[in-house]
Amino acid sequence: MLYWITLLIGIAGLAAALALAGKRVLFLWKLFKSGQPDPERTLQVKREPKKAVEGQAVEVLGQKKLLKWTVAGAAHFAVMWAFFLLATVYLEAGVQLVFGLDAHIPFVQTWGPIGFVQDTIALACLAGLITFTIIRIKNAPKKLGRKSRFSGSHLGGAWVILFMIFNVIWTMFFFRGIEAAREGLSYGKAAYFSWLVGQPLKGVDDNVLEVLEAAGLLLHIGVALVFLVIVVNSKHLHIFLAPLNVMFKRQPDGLGAAQPMMSKGKVLDFEEADPDEDTFGRGKIEDFTWKGYLDMATCTECGRCQSQCPAWNTGKPLSPKMVVLELRDHAFAKAPYMLASEEEREKFTDEQKTAMQVDKELVAEDGVIHPDVLWSCTNCGACVEQCPVDIEHIDHILDMRRFQVMIESSFPSEAGVMLKNLENKGNPWGMSEMKRLEWIEELDFEVEVVDDKAPEDMEYLFWVGCAGALEDRAKKTTKAVAELLHIAGVKFGVLGPMEACTGDPARRLGMEFVFQMLGQQNVETLNEAGVKKIVATCPHCFNTLANEYPQIGGNYEVVHHTQLLAHLVEAGKLTPVTPIEENITYHDPCFLGRHNKVYKQPRDIMSHVPGVKTQEMHRHKERGFCCGAGGARMWMEERIGKRINTERVDEAMETNPDTISTACPFCLVMLGDAINEKKNEGQAKESLEVVDVSQLLIRSIKGEDAPKETVSAE
């Protein structure tokens, strides 16, 4: 009789849970399916299945990103593997539900090591839950405000999930302990904790224990079924969606190139585009792709992106986490309307439409995303780098910018000046193209200027960039690199007036049309000149030439100047000899570091300079802090919160440096400006400067003939 009661209750609970969970899964499937097509996501998995498998092994099973956060990562690792391994306990519970409490799976449920692993991972999971509890209490938003990475997250849901996982653990030990007391635990003492739990119950009437075991079994199964229903209706849906999001992430990763503008699954052709039929970026939630919806539903609300965001850390309204959550909540609210037929939509009342946010604008002061949020982004990539489930925040922000810029003509006014200069003069400052050669006049050797075809003996085209040619501080880097290449015997040339802006500021602002115009012009120039290898001093130019120009027919071997110089030093073609007795801290440019994983070479250069003592800032390499210039922010005023460049210089000054080094003209300008402000306020020593690593190298190679002040950021 007890067997049939247990079986019927179990089957009824299973049917109810599957019905509720199935309804939610069907809703999510329909929502994802309604998104714009993104065929490249599935094609890349077919083209490179090995990478897809590696992603699952390293990021999902190996928890690579989470383990960078040591304690929290280890706790999550334990809980996640408990989720996998304790599925075997549920398999066993299912067998006992169907075939009776004394039933066991032959050769599996009787093998001691399995019981040992089950008990051990369950205890590790319990330790993980305690760790999570401490972390959440210690970092509660009520205590830390916006400094808490949980600020803005749905906190109640997280506590419910922790409680449910705890219920899984204690109910498992409860029914297995009773099983041990009845001498029915097939693993015996190998399942050591289950066995220990059962010892105090020894001697209790077997009929009582049998009822308790059946109740414990139903409790254990019931907790899992309730957990399933909660999970598919909460942020913990990532348990099932994270592997999919990792599989379909952009390759090689979500940084590097900005995606081309897509419409209906195809790259948008501006010459044939129809404003009424095609989507120009994302102007409403329906414009997002199915991968965009997958990103939204996968977010775990962990706040790691938020904790690393330079905008959020300096008092601005942008939180990458909140952008994703606000888009997700809006998508879920509007989904019934989006999925309804035209006839069904006509039947909705005004109150229902308001509840479904039908008329709510995507980007507006009273919309889903506030404009200040959208324009605070520097495209630094810290959010994408840190996200444990590979959400592509930058892509979504950039696509919303594209609609605002190209359709709404709504963007910060000062950026409009930059766009006009790009269109009319080919550079953000609006200077004459002939000024691109003025820096050469200050050198004491000839530099090849490519007019038509590149000479056959030219090893590299030196892409000087707008800042490198036109901005006084960046010119010093340009001259230093040119001189170093000359000393090393590297044959190089420049385009001079034929070089135009790569279009990075326009693209990152959202003006894709201007990027396409400049990019195609440059690609045509480079291809006609027969250029194969390029060296660039600006990480933004480097990133665009290497990663984005292939989208428009420009395929070149592109290196950053630090990569080439590090190679020349290693090969003995450049030999620093004069000691530079200074404490130096290095600032990682975002578009060189996070976007292109170039961390080692700039540091290698400094390590070869005698006398240099280096000290890292507390945020460096993949966790480096932005200078504030990326995402076209170089040409926009920073009116909200603390200036990002000031925050970064404050961090640098904690290392008590004589010099701050970097490898980007934008960083050079931004950090230099912040240093000058500090000097004016009496908060920094007058000798403090910011220089490119190439300037340190040329100083050491040439000796005291290159005095320090000639490479100052002032």
Side-chain angles (χ1 to χ4, degrees), residues 22-49:
K23 181 181 178 181
R24 180 65 173 180
V25 170
L26 182 62
F27 160 76
L28 293 170
W29 169 254
K30 288 179 178 179
L31 176 61
F32 295 165
K33 197 175 178 182
S34 73
Q36 297 292 318
D38 194 352
E40 177 60 25
R41 303 295 184 157
T42 50
L43 288 174
Q44 71 183 18
V45 175
K46 292 178 181 178
R47 282 196 308 264
E48 300 182 88

Side-chain angles (χ1 to χ4, degrees), residues 273-506:
D274 183 346
D276 296 324
E277 295 292 330
D278 289 300
T279 56
F280 288 72
R282 310 284 178 245
K284 54 185 184 298
I285 197 68
E286 294 92 325
D287 293 338
F288 283 83
T289 66
W290 62 264
K291 176 59 171 64
Y293 293 146
L294 185 59
D295 270 359
M296 297 171 204
T298 306
C299 180
T300 69
E301 304 185 27
C302 69
R304 287 175 174 81
C305 59
Q306 180 175 287
S307 71
Q308 301 299 300
C309 177
W312 183 261
N313 275 280
T314 53
K316 296 167 183 61
L318 168 62
S319 159
K321 175 184 72 178
M322 294 308 300
V323 168
V324 174
L325 296 189
E326 285 159 1
L327 290 173
R328 180 194 71 188
D329 293 346
H330 177 57
F332 284 170
K334 197 174 180 181
Y337 183 84
M338 291 160 56
L339 301 177
S341 64
E342 288 298 328
E343 291 182 3
E344 290 172 327
R345 289 180 179 182
E346 291 176 3
K347 296 177 182 178
F348 289 133
T349 64
D350 290 340
E351 290 78 8
Q352 287 175 315
K353 289 181 180 179
T354 299
M356 290 185 284
Q357 303 179 6
V358 172
D359 298 319
K360 192 170 187 177
E361 291 185 72
L362 190 65
V363 179
E365 290 192 4
D366 58 350
V368 180
I369 305 295
H370 193 283
D372 286 341
V373 169
L374 199 63
W375 297 112
S376 293
C377 180
T378 67
N379 279 209
C380 72
C383 50
V384 181
E385 174 73 31
Q386 293 299 329
C387 180
V389 293
D390 288 327
I391 292 169
E392 294 157 358
H393 314 76
I394 292 178
D395 289 349
H396 304 317
I397 289 172
L398 182 56
D399 276 333
M400 287 187 284
R401 280 186 173 190
R402 284 166 167 167
F403 183 85
Q404 292 301 303
V405 173
M406 302 186 71
I407 301 300
E408 298 291 311
S409 296
S410 176
F411 51 91
S413 57
E414 56 268 25
V417 177
M418 178 267 291
L419 286 176
K420 287 179 182 177
N421 289 335
L422 287 178
E423 291 185 71
N424 298 329
K425 296 292 185 178
N427 67 79
W429 288 280
M431 295 185 185
S432 167
E433 60 187 20
M434 297 311 297
K435 285 186 172 290
R436 287 183 178 272
L437 285 176
E438 288 185 356
W439 64 273
I440 294 178
E441 298 170 5
E442 300 174 33
L443 300 175
D444 56 7
F445 58 90
E446 293 292 323
V447 173
E448 180 79 36
V449 179
V450 179
D451 292 323
D452 185 16
K453 284 285 184 182
E456 290 186 8
D457 65 343
M458 191 180 83
E459 296 176 62
Y460 288 93
L461 175 80
F462 180 12
W463 188 274
V464 179
C466 301
L470 304 172
E471 206 283 327
D472 288 340
R473 285 167 285 190
K475 278 185 188 179
K476 293 166 186 172
T477 302
T478 303
K479 288 184 286 185
V481 171
E483 195 163 1
L484 288 165
L485 295 180
H486 177 70
I487 292 170
V490 176
K491 299 290 185 181
F492 70 95
V494 298
L495 288 176
M498 294 175 65
E499 181 183 298
C501 178
T502 59
D504 168 81

Side-chain angles (χ1 to χ4, degrees), residues 145-165:
R146 63 185 287 133
K147 288 184 179 180
S148 168
R149 64 183 174 92
F150 301 118
S151 176
S153 298
H154 296 83
L155 303 176
W159 287 114
V160 169
I161 293 297
L162 290 180
F163 178 64
M164 291 305 298
I165 299 173

